[in-house]
Amino acid sequence: MGNYSVVVLDFETTGLSPQYGDRAIEIGAVLVENNEIVDRFQSLMNPGMKVSSFIEEYTGITNRMLDSSPSITEVMHEFTRFMAQHHLVAHNAGFDSRFLDAELQRINQQRCQEFACSLLISRRVYPELTSHSLESLVRSKNLKTDGVHHRALADAEMTAHLWVNIVNDIKAEYGFKQVPFDLLKRLSKVSKSLAPTFLRRAAENQE
DNA sequence: TGCCAGGCCCTCTTTAGGGCCTT
């Protein structure tokens, strides 16, 4: 049983690149302790710009919904209290960390928490799968879902279930008593072909 | 005004290109 907690988060945004002016429009996050979701955070946020029809269709989040939503500043201040000092997890964390860092910078704050990526880790733990998109993983691993996709809280919850599934599968296959966050961080940087050896050796050397 | 992502990972690789993954 992991003795640490993680916050699994997901952003919906106006596009793919905060460097080119894209902004967050929704954040969803769950706090996972001992393989259980024990708290949730969700909010739309008004980006102060119109989102494209593609984004309206992709997420189901409309300009009308965003018009009456709180500001990004307000929501991000609340979210910093929710994430506190917990380790962070996201599916394709490079994307979410870029938006998180960009929005934090706009409110003069900085992230100090470590980020782990469930996409990179699942590619190493489930190399037999041909697709590692969140939707495919939910299907192939029979993860709990309410059928909603591309909304922040629903995606964060599915990612949390994926995270727990990964931890449990590594325990079962390699005989870990617990799977530290740092081990999964390091696993995500090991080459795919060396991942099984890395895990086997780590299991042999655990305290 | 309009330009328009970034990083991983494989391979017919490393003097590179293209698919995947996120919205």
Side-chain angles (χ1 to χ4, degrees):
Chain A
M1 195 65 81
N3 57 358
Y4 60 89
S5 53
V6 295
V7 164
V8 184
L9 68 94
D10 183 74
F11 279 106
E12 304 306 314
T13 68
T14 64
L16 291 172
S17 177
Q19 299 302 314
Y20 286 87
D22 286 317
R23 301 296 304 274
I25 60 174
E26 185 182 41
I27 185 166
V30 297
L31 176 62
V32 177
E33 284 178 357
N34 298 324
N35 288 353
E36 297 283 341
I37 293 174
V38 296
D39 201 4
R40 289 170 172 81
F41 182 98
Q42 184 275 330
S43 184
L44 291 170
M45 39 193 155
N46 188 339
M49 60 194 276
K50 292 295 177 195
V51 301
S52 66
S53 54
F54 171 81
I55 292 297
E56 285 191 320
E57 186 137 343
Y58 186 80
T59 63
I61 299 169
T62 64
N63 283 295
R64 188 184 178 86
M65 291 160 70
L66 294 173
D67 284 343
S68 56
S69 297
S71 70
I72 301 180
T73 298
E74 186 181 330
V75 174
M76 290 308 296
H77 277 295
E78 287 176 27
F79 181 68
T80 58
R81 289 191 283 277
F82 181 84
M83 71 173 174
Q85 302 301 312
H86 300 293
H87 294 311
L88 303 176
V89 172
H91 200 66
N92 200 14
F95 175 85
D96 292 282
S97 64
R98 277 193 292 277
F99 275 95
L100 178 61
D101 292 349
E103 297 299 355
L104 287 177
Q105 188 172 23
R106 286 173 181 268
I107 60 170
N108 295 315
Q109 297 213 27
Q110 204 172 2
R111 168 174 64 87
C112 56
Q113 298 87 341
E114 294 241 40
F115 235 119
C117 177
S118 57
L119 170 63
L120 294 181
I121 294 168
S122 69
R123 280 179 177 157
R124 286 157 177 79
V125 178
Y126 306 125
E128 73 281 6
L129 298 180
T130 54
S131 170
H132 295 82
S133 70
L134 184 57
E135 200 164 352
S136 296
L137 286 161
V138 165
R139 217 170 21 244
S140 53
K141 293 296 166 187
N142 287 314
L143 303 178
K144 189 181 167 194
T145 175
D146 58 9
V148 175
H149 292 276
H150 308 306
R151 285 301 298 267
L153 184 59
D155 284 2
E157 294 208 25
M158 289 185 288
T159 303
H161 293 132
L162 171 61
W163 180 262
V164 170
N165 205 73
I166 287 170
V167 168
N168 287 337
D169 283 349
I170 290 178
K171 280 182 189 170
E173 184 163 353
Y174 293 91
F176 284 96
K177 298 184 198 76
Q178 54 179 314
V179 183
F181 183 85
D182 182 59
L183 178 83
L184 292 170
K185 273 283 289 184
R186 282 186 286 137
L187 174 63
S188 69
K189 295 173 184 172
V190 171
S191 79
K192 278 183 67 176
S193 57
L194 289 178
T197 303
F198 171 84
L199 285 170
R200 201 167 53 245
R201 288 184 179 161
E204 288 166 3
N205 293 332
Q206 67 183 315
E207 310 239 329

